[in-house]
Amino acid sequence: MVALVEGWKEIAGAAGFSGEIAFGAVPRRYPILVSAAQNKDGSVRDAGQLWRWASVTKQVVATLVMQQVEAGMIDLDESVATYLPDFASPNAATITVEHLLRHQSGLPNPSAMPEGTEGLPAFYLPGSGIDPLAFCAGTPTGAPGGDWSYNNCDYIVAGALLERVTGKSWRELVAERIADPAQIYTLSSFPNNEPTVSGIFGGSPEATQDIAQYQASGALYGRPSDVIKFDLALMGGKLLGADALATLWDGKPELGYMALGQWVFEFPLAGCTDPVRIVERRGAIGGVQVRNFLLPDFGIAIALFSDRGEGDFDFGEVWQGSGFSHDMLSLAACPQEAA
């Protein structure tokens, strides 16, 4: 394990990574969980800070929906209108729950709104007064069920749907049905009174956003090690049964391997003989980026948090066979030749 962490530090230092790395594995009966943090110059910083989970929130919310599918309370093929009859979208009766989770709804996109102050879409500006669910019920941008198009409204609506079905807010469900069984103790959501790590965007300190506006699409925050606890609980069958997990991780090639709330694909990693099944969830809010990777066939999970935004740090694409994320996963899962 020491050699693994030192190897990560070497890769991170060469890439100019600034942030925190958390790693977990279940090689035997007991899980391994480690976390390390460093600055861009390679110097050590405190690990265990509170970070925005950004769109890793979607991965958690998709799990909550699948728990309700297992319980017989939600059918992925049923329309949004079935469960949320007062959702006023013109397409509410033709958008299915699965369309929401695979980003195939055709709902309006908050990030496409005209920019307000500091270059942010007006939807996310503090004091905007925009009601998220009402906005999402606006004029559709496409027909349901087509190509996937990334959109925070999909999960804002999914959160509202969960509340209607269960009688509890999506935040309460996270606490009861994710955090408790996974033994997570620092997971919370915006709006908050706790300081979380801020970042650099476009070479400057990030602009202030109302992160609570992201709701079930991106409002969770907690320690990176708690992402790993979620991952290990998911892989270990504590959150979903085998059939529901297979549905959650059904990456469709025709949709760019989009599954429910995450991407799932197979790709060769350096040092491994056979292609490796990879579950990926990425996110970014302002100057903070996150990558959450699960390697279910190895029982391994890695969460990477950077305090440099898109354009300031490049995680790379695993499927391109090189770059920061690819190298970190290869080191974790595959035998490496000695230098």
Side-chain angles (χ1 to χ4, degrees), residues 62-124:
T63 301
L64 290 173
V65 173
M66 287 307 302
Q67 288 175 343
Q68 294 304 312
V69 171
E70 277 191 309
M73 299 297 292
I74 291 178
D75 186 328
L76 292 176
D77 294 326
E78 281 289 349
S79 73
V80 171
T82 300
Y83 304 105
L84 202 60
D86 52 353
F87 181 57
S89 169
N91 289 347
T94 53
I95 299 169
T96 68
V97 177
E98 184 168 352
H99 290 155
L100 293 177
L101 301 186
R102 289 194 196 272
H103 292 298
Q104 295 177 279
S105 70
L107 291 173
N109 188 344
S111 297
M113 287 191 73
E115 292 183 353
T117 58
E118 302 192 64
L120 291 172
F123 185 92
Y124 302 114

Side-chain angles (χ1 to χ4, degrees), residues 28-46:
R28 299 183 181 87
R29 291 184 59 189
Y30 303 103
I32 295 170
L33 183 63
V34 297
S35 194
Q38 67 184 58
N39 295 306
K40 190 173 182 179
D41 63 2
S43 58
V44 175
R45 61 195 280 180
D46 290 338

